[in-house]
Amino acid sequence: LMQVLRREGLEPIQSKGAPFDPSVHDAIAVAKAPANVAPGTVIEEASPGYRFKDRVLRHAKVIVADGPPSAEHGHAKGGPADSGEAAS
């Protein structure tokens, strides 16, 4: 059955080691990043995802590497909380 489905265009979504992409991944957990792994990288796949041609049939359930807070998330100095401005 899997051979027929793959021949028709079904393919697994490659997740482990890839950057987290919400269009194909569902994050079920966040874990401390191992050495040499960038934050936001998929470090484990709990359940595989599948794509049929260009359409996602099932998102991959993944565990994503966590990292230190960054400026883009408003946790570093100079973010909205430090500027004295009210967040809108």
Side-chain angles (χ1 to χ4, degrees), residues 15 17-21 24-25 40-42:
S15 298
F20 176 75
D21 179 354
V24 295
H25 299 131
T41 301
V42 174

Side-chain angles (χ1 to χ4, degrees), residues 54-68:
D54 290 333
R55 186 173 185 182
V56 175
L57 293 180
R58 180 171 77 178
H59 287 74
K61 308 266 190 272
V62 298
I63 298 172
V64 181
D66 191 15

Side-chain angles (χ1 to χ4, degrees), residues 14 17 27-28 34 40 56 65:
Q14 300 299 319
I28 60 169
V56 175

Side-chain angles (χ1 to χ4, degrees), residues 8 12 14 19 24 29 31 35-36 38-39 51 57 60 63 65 67 81-83 87:
E8 294 300 319
Q14 300 299 319
V24 295
N36 300 323
R51 178 180 290 132
L57 293 180
I63 298 172
D82 292 335
S83 68

